[in-house]
């Protein structure tokens, strides 16, 4: 185990690797298998293989390349952000699975798509090996490994004025929320914690926690940052003067 690393939340920690380059897969596999508490449960070279193999392998963490098979068609498991689509599909089938996106490109659009697909982390391939191992352990423990600076760029992009006309109505997901839930969603978008929201609305923290869980369920998302992204979109639909 690397010096200063923390033990895995489960042992052995089962990891699945998706990357279309064999050399990369081999390097990542060797890196993980050097850790006594991590096992590589399986690997795949394209989206189709991953979707077929991951459920049977039952990993705790899936390390997914964002871009797969630049020379392949989408039907063959390729595409610019094919790894993000794999994340979305796997999270729908296996909500307990933590997906860590691995990419060579610092791409805000891919980051946004990954967040909305339910990814627990997004790291660049230039990351040190010990840091990648730490990232896998972090997402396996239920925490997020989303780079704060990159996430801030995405949020700023969402807040920026948009030249195109606004749609006439909110999305169906947002229409499912009650006025109080919309209010809480807006506060989530401001970055407030459950305790801060409770203090702002003069409610018990447990009540807010339950409300947030209900909001996530209605929006069909599994992570708070996904809800924050939708909160930013909600601001586009609000009428002038609405707080």
């Amino acid at each position: 185990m690397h010096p200063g690393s923390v033990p895995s939340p489960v042992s052995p920690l089962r990891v699945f690797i998706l990357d279309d380059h064999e050399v990369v897969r081999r390097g990542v596999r060797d890196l993980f298998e050097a850790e006594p508490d991590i096992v590589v449960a399986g690997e795949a070279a394209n989206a189709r293989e991953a979707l077929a193999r991951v459920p049977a392998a039952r990993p705790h963490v899936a390390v997914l390349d964002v871009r797969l098979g630049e020379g392949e068609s989408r039907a063959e498991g390729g595409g610019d952000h094919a790894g993000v689509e794999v994340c979305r599909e796997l999270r729908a089938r296996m909500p307990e699975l933590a997906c860590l996106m691995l990419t060579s490109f610092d791409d805000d659009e891919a980051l946004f798509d990954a967040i909305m697909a339910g990814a627990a982390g997004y790291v660049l391939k230039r990351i040190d090996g010990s840091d990648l191992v730490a990232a896998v352990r972090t997402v396996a423990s239920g925490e997020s490994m989303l780079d704060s600076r990159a996430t801030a760029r995405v949020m700023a992009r969402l807040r920026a004025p948009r030249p195109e006309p606004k749609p006439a109505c909110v999305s169906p997901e947002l229409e499912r929320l009650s006025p109080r839930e919309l209010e809480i969603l807006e506060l989530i978008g401001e970055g407030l914690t459950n305790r801060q929201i409770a203090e702002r609305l003069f409610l018990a923290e447990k009540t807010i926690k339950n409300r947030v869980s209900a909001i996530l369920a209605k929006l069909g998302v599994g992570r708070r940052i996904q809800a924050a992204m939708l909160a930013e979109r909600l601001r586009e639909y609000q009428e002038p003067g609405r707080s």
Side-chain angles (χ1 to χ4, degrees):
M1 190 176 294
H2 296 285
S5 64
V6 296
S8 300
V10 291
S11 186
L13 174 56
R14 297 171 61 81
V15 179
F16 191 97
I17 303 166
L18 167 62
D19 197 291
D20 58 332
H21 293 97
E22 182 183 0
V23 172
V24 174
R25 292 199 310 276
R26 182 177 299 179
V28 174
R29 181 177 66 236
D30 291 347
L31 176 68
F32 291 149
E33 290 184 339
E35 301 292 323
D37 57 338
I38 297 179
V39 298
V40 175
E43 59 183 71
N46 58 51
R48 286 181 304 151
E49 290 180 358
L51 293 175
R53 296 174 183 175
V54 170
R58 302 187 64 82
H60 301 101
V61 178
V63 178
L64 309 174
D65 187 12
V66 170
R67 298 192 179 196
L68 298 170
E70 294 181 359
E72 298 179 1
S73 68
R74 293 184 182 277
E76 294 171 324
D80 285 350
H81 297 163
V84 173
E85 294 307 312
V86 171
C87 172
R88 192 188 316 278
E89 180 66 25
L90 289 177
R91 289 278 301 164
R93 298 185 195 178
M94 307 167 65
E96 72 284 359
L97 177 66
C99 293
L100 178 65
M101 309 308 299
L102 191 61
T103 181
S104 301
F105 306 93
D106 193 3
D107 181 347
D108 287 353
E109 191 66 33
L111 172 60
F112 176 80
D113 289 345
I115 290 172
M116 297 312 296
Y122 187 98
V123 295
L124 298 178
K125 287 185 177 179
R126 61 173 176 259
I127 189 173
D128 291 340
S130 58
D131 291 336
L132 179 58
V133 172
V136 165
R137 290 196 174 103
T138 296
V139 298
S141 69
E143 298 179 34
S144 174
M145 262 300 301
L146 294 165
D147 180 83
S148 58
R149 290 172 298 178
T151 304
R153 292 201 310 270
V154 173
M155 296 297 283
R157 180 178 173 181
L158 285 171
R159 293 188 181 110
R162 295 171 181 261
E164 65 270 15
K166 296 180 182 179
C169 60
V170 298
S171 67
E173 291 81 6
L174 292 172
E175 288 181 331
R176 297 173 190 156
L177 303 184
S178 68
R180 174 63 90 182
E181 288 171 338
L182 287 171
E183 186 177 13
I184 293 173
L185 178 62
E186 291 176 27
L187 296 177
I188 290 174
E190 293 177 16
L192 272 62
T193 65
N194 286 352
R195 176 171 295 183
Q196 291 169 329
I197 295 173
E199 292 173 352
R200 178 79 64 89
L201 300 180
F202 304 101
L203 294 170
E205 185 176 352
K206 184 176 181 181
T207 299
I208 296 300
K209 181 179 179 180
N210 292 337
R211 290 273 192 153
V212 170
S213 296
I215 290 169
L216 297 181
K218 287 185 179 181
L219 294 178
V221 299
R223 300 187 183 279
R224 196 181 184 94
I225 191 167
Q226 292 173 283
M229 294 291 190
L230 289 174
E232 289 300 325
R233 290 282 172 87
L234 175 63
R235 297 177 198 277
E236 299 176 18
Y237 303 109
Q238 292 177 330
E239 297 177 356
R242 178 177 172 181
S243 59

